[in-house]
Amino acid sequence: MVDPLLVATVVSTLNIAVLAVLTAIWAKNYREFRTPLVLGLLVFGLVLLAENGVAIYFFFSMKMLYAADSTVQSAVGVLRGMQFVALAFLAWATLQ
């Protein structure tokens, strides 16, 4: 059986990769257009990058917090997967 925390860590890493690309695009667009909407997207990307980085840190450093309950582990994995799907759609829309 696959460890749900390993899956969550892998998906968080994918989220970071997608967010890095999106944030770079939004930073470039903000330098060019200087609109509040693009600034909002840029800040959104930076905050989610930080959140996913902290999540990976906690997966490795404080695994005992998640290890007690397999339901929590599964929920964390599902939430990371849902975030990836949302980011994939956002990346698709941004790249159009």
Side-chain angles (χ1 to χ4, degrees):
M1 186 168 162
V2 177
D3 181 18
L5 286 183
L6 177 62
V7 171
T9 303
V10 169
V11 176
S12 286
T13 304
L14 289 173
N15 288 345
I16 287 173
V18 172
L19 283 164
V21 171
L22 288 174
T23 302
I25 291 169
W26 294 330
K28 177 183 168 280
N29 288 345
Y30 183 69
R31 282 191 299 271
E32 185 175 338
F33 300 114
R34 301 271 185 207
T35 63
L37 176 63
V38 178
L39 178 61
L41 289 170
L42 177 59
V43 172
F44 172 79
L46 291 171
V47 169
L48 278 183
L49 272 170
E51 187 270 335
N52 277 281
V54 169
I56 289 174
Y57 170 76
F58 280 119
F59 290 155
F60 286 117
S61 69
M62 297 190 161
K63 194 172 186 175
M64 71 239 171
L65 291 176
Y66 298 106
D69 190 358
S70 63
T71 304
V72 172
Q73 292 178 0
S74 297
V76 167
V78 168
L79 290 173
R80 294 288 160 201
M82 290 169 53
Q83 186 181 54
F84 179 74
V85 169
L87 290 173
F89 276 108
L90 189 58
W92 175 79
T94 298
L95 295 171
Q96 289 302 313

